[in-house]
Amino acid sequence: MNISFIYSYSSLLFEIGTKEKKIKTYYKQACFLVDVLTKTDLANFLSNLSIDKEQRKKVFKSMFQKKLETKFIYFVWTIIDFNRGDYLEKILRSFLSIYDDYFSINFVKVYSAFALNSKHLNDIKKVLTQKYKKKIILQNIIDPSVIGGIKIESKYMSIDNTFKKKLEIIKQKSIAPIQQRS
């Protein structure tokens, strides 16, 4: 199935937000709605063709009229009108990605066995900002399975300097000669 319409919708929302000078508001609202979509069955409801479109739009408006801009609600209504409700989350995530690229923002996850202190996080942020020439927003994720070291991931990079990864490499190197002999 051709899903090129996802970018069309998301870039349209970005254009509307920019034109209306509400792009940051739309960004926050898109984040909010993505969160709702991931935690509920709202996407299933919005894409349910056995429920009249007008009823789905009415329910959506009643749920979000105090939390979303009117034009943002109308944007979602357009998605409902074209029976694309099951793609709403992907459309909004695409919009968020366009926003991040436009404003040179890079979200980075830093995995470590324990919480990193602010000095370490600031050092990582400084290096990544200089390297990628983007605003870096870090999220420290505690993952005891890394044992030690850190793993850094974003849509632009993946750096795995963990003991876990080093042990995997050692294991692969020690297994390879045994497999070659067999």
Side-chain angles (χ1 to χ4, degrees):
M1 173 188 242
N2 184 0
I3 55 171
S4 60
F5 65 85
I6 291 173
Y7 183 78
S8 299
Y9 280 107
S10 58
S11 59
L12 175 64
L13 181 60
F14 187 83
E15 185 180 321
I16 293 167
T18 304
K19 190 176 185 178
E20 297 289 321
K21 297 187 182 355
K22 293 186 177 185
I23 193 67
K24 288 184 180 180
T25 301
Y26 284 11
Y27 182 84
K28 289 176 186 173
Q29 291 179 359
C31 289
F32 164 74
L33 195 50
V34 164
D35 189 50
V36 170
L37 289 165
T38 58
K39 293 178 180 175
T40 67
D41 286 333
L42 180 60
N44 291 335
F45 172 77
L46 297 177
S47 61
N48 188 336
L49 301 180
S50 65
I51 302 170
D52 180 63
K53 288 178 188 179
E54 296 307 314
Q55 182 62 29
R56 287 182 275 159
K57 290 173 10 182
K58 183 179 177 181
V59 168
F60 183 84
K61 183 178 181 182
S62 70
M63 288 175 68
F64 298 107
Q65 68 185 357
K66 293 182 180 176
K67 295 178 178 150
L68 301 176
E69 293 280 326
T70 302
K71 287 197 177 179
F72 196 97
I73 290 172
Y74 291 158
F75 172 78
V76 174
W77 281 9
T78 302
I79 293 169
I80 294 168
D81 282 336
F82 286 95
N83 296 321
R84 308 274 197 201
D86 49 341
Y87 292 98
L88 179 59
E89 183 181 344
K90 288 180 181 178
I91 291 166
L92 294 174
R93 287 188 186 278
S94 176
F95 164 77
L96 296 173
S97 180
I98 292 168
Y99 179 97
D100 294 344
D101 288 344
Y102 184 83
F103 289 103
S104 296
I105 299 171
N106 188 6
F107 288 91
V108 177
K109 293 180 180 177
V110 180
Y111 297 87
S112 59
F114 53 87
L116 298 176
N117 65 36
S118 59
K119 183 194 179 317
H120 286 123
L121 290 171
N122 285 334
D123 289 346
I124 293 168
K125 188 176 190 175
K126 184 178 178 182
V127 168
L128 294 176
T129 300
Q130 289 172 347
K131 183 173 182 170
Y132 294 101
K133 309 286 189 255
K134 291 183 175 282
K135 178 180 178 184
I136 303 294
I137 298 176
L138 292 179
Q139 177 185 10
N140 187 198
I141 298 172
I142 288 71
D143 180 359
S145 75
V146 301
I147 305 169
I150 61 171
K151 179 172 142 183
I152 300 172
E153 286 186 340
S154 78
K155 71 179 184 179
Y156 300 105
M157 70 177 139
S158 181
I159 302 168
D160 193 338
N161 193 22
T162 62
F163 290 164
K164 179 181 178 181
K165 182 67 174 177
K166 290 176 183 178
L167 289 171
E168 288 172 9
I169 292 169
I170 292 169
K171 180 180 176 184
Q172 289 300 319
K173 286 182 180 179
S174 64
I175 292 175
I178 294 170
Q179 290 175 340
Q180 288 176 353
R181 285 189 244 159
S182 299

